[in-house]
Amino acid sequence: MMEIILVFVLILASFLGFELISKVPSQLHTPLMSGSNAISGITVVGAILSLTGTFVVEGEVVRIVLGTLSVFFATINVVGGYMVTDRMLSMFTAAKKKEDQHD
């Protein structure tokens, strides 16, 4: 029974996330991405905390591998998100500099 509820929550969250993101105007994508980067940072901290408990118990190879992969991919997500945000913000500052030069 619990598995059905978890699958339902996953499907509902996926649908809601898709609908929410698709309705965001383009002017708000940079602030939204910054917020999602902060949430991904929390994911990195959670993955590290869950990984620290696995070294106490011997023979938990699968948990250690999955925990390490989760830290790795969450870190890539955070770094990549900040790089994209920085690039988007630099596009706005470059456009502003061009306007200032023409005035």
Side-chain angles (χ1 to χ4, degrees):
M1 181 66 181
M2 186 64 155
E3 291 84 15
I4 294 172
I5 293 173
L6 291 175
V7 169
F8 175 73
V9 169
L10 176 68
I11 292 171
L12 185 64
S14 299
F15 178 73
L16 179 66
F18 177 77
E19 286 297 314
L20 182 71
I21 295 299
S22 66
K23 299 205 181 343
V24 172
S26 60
Q27 295 89 354
L28 296 178
H29 277 278
T30 302
L32 182 65
M33 182 169 269
S34 296
S36 66
N37 287 338
I39 293 171
S40 294
I42 294 169
T43 305
V44 172
V45 172
I48 291 171
L49 288 176
S50 67
L51 186 59
T52 57
T54 60
F55 293 112
V56 177
V57 181
E58 297 277 334
E60 297 276 337
V61 176
V62 174
R63 289 179 67 187
I64 291 172
V65 169
L66 290 177
T68 304
L69 286 174
S70 66
V71 170
F72 177 72
F73 287 124
T75 304
I76 288 175
N77 191 20
V78 170
V79 171
Y82 279 115
M83 288 174 64
V84 169
T85 302
D86 184 53
R87 184 171 176 157
M88 289 173 66
L89 289 174
S90 68
M91 288 170 35
F92 287 116
T93 56
K96 187 176 180 181
K97 286 179 184 178
K98 284 182 183 179
E99 287 176 7
D100 292 340
Q101 289 175 354
H102 291 307
D103 290 338

